[in-house]
Amino acid sequence: MKPRILLIERTTVKRLIVALLALAAMSSPAFAAPPSEDSIRHLLEVTEARNLLDGMMAQIDTLMRRNMDQALRGRQLTTEQEAIIARMRNKMVDAFREEMAWDKLEPLYVRVYRDTFTQAEVDGMLAFYRTDAGRAVIVKMPAVLQTTMGEMQQRMQPLIAKMRTIEQEALAELRATEHKDGN
């Protein structure tokens, strides 16, 4: 009788292991409930995602103006040429605003959040953003991003200069090989 009891116990243990593995697999994020669209929209509202996007649009105009001024530095433009450049910048900013408008981006945000986070994670973020620390993140993040972007631009200037030097050296090498092949 002992072998039969041992067989039953092994079968029971195997079923228990399979059940535990199935439970563990179902509790993983891959099987967790996706967040509801309402909770994602609420999170986007609480984090002021739309305001952040609007602030970014203002920075885009400033950045384009600065880059165009830098590109044209040292050139004397006529009034007509300046007007053409201003119209081009305005059209570019308008095109950017149109394509990056909240009504076009919100569905993208909802989809990405739904595909990335679980309902529990969205609920946790909402709870965090309701705290003083969470509110501070929301309020101060635009300044953090703006400062970071400004400092990154400053860091990029020497890198861009190095890249131009590398490019010029490579072009000179290419020209030298053309002269060798041509002789």
Side-chain angles (χ1 to χ4, degrees):
M1 205 69 148
K2 280 190 178 183
R4 188 168 183 196
I5 292 173
L6 193 56
L7 182 62
I8 292 171
E9 286 177 0
R10 282 187 191 161
T11 305
T12 303
V13 169
K14 284 182 185 177
R15 285 184 184 159
L16 182 61
I17 290 172
V18 169
L20 288 172
L21 288 174
L23 182 63
M26 293 180 114
S27 65
S28 73
F31 291 102
S36 70
E37 192 170 314
D38 286 342
S39 67
I40 294 170
R41 289 183 194 284
H42 186 61
L43 178 61
L44 293 173
E45 183 181 316
V46 166
T47 58
E48 299 179 11
R50 185 179 195 152
N51 293 344
L52 191 60
L53 183 65
D54 290 344
M56 187 178 73
M57 292 301 169
Q59 289 178 354
I60 294 294
D61 185 34
T62 301
L63 182 63
M64 288 180 105
R65 184 182 312 268
R66 189 179 311 143
N67 286 340
M68 286 183 181
D69 288 347
Q70 206 170 20
L72 297 171
R73 187 177 299 150
R75 293 185 181 172
Q76 287 293 337
L77 299 178
T78 66
T79 305
E80 183 182 6
Q81 291 170 326
E82 287 177 359
I84 292 168
I85 297 294
R87 280 194 307 272
M88 178 185 71
R89 188 190 73 252
N90 290 337
K91 286 179 182 179
M92 291 173 129
V93 169
D94 289 347
F96 196 86
R97 284 182 196 276
E98 183 180 326
E99 286 305 311
M100 304 305 263
W102 181 251
D103 63 332
K104 289 185 178 182
L105 290 183
E106 185 182 29
L108 178 137
Y109 278 110
V110 169
R111 180 177 43 81
V112 169
Y113 276 56
R114 185 186 58 241
D115 293 348
T116 305
F117 299 109
T118 66
Q119 185 64 56
E121 291 166 338
V122 169
D123 292 343
M125 286 186 275
L126 282 166
F128 169 71
Y129 286 124
R130 288 182 184 121
T131 67
D132 290 342
R135 294 296 312 152
V137 169
I138 292 167
V139 170
K140 295 178 181 182
M141 192 53 67
V144 167
L145 294 174
Q146 185 174 9
T147 302
T148 302
M149 283 180 66
E151 291 191 22
M152 288 300 286
Q153 285 177 350
Q154 288 176 354
R155 292 188 71 134
M156 291 299 290
Q157 294 306 318
L159 178 59
I160 290 170
K162 285 180 187 178
M163 300 282 240
R164 285 186 183 137
T165 301
I166 292 168
E167 178 185 35
Q168 290 169 353
E169 290 170 354
L171 288 172
E173 286 181 52
L174 286 171
R175 280 190 223 106
T177 63
E178 289 174 359
H179 293 294
K180 278 201 268 185
D181 293 339
N183 289 333

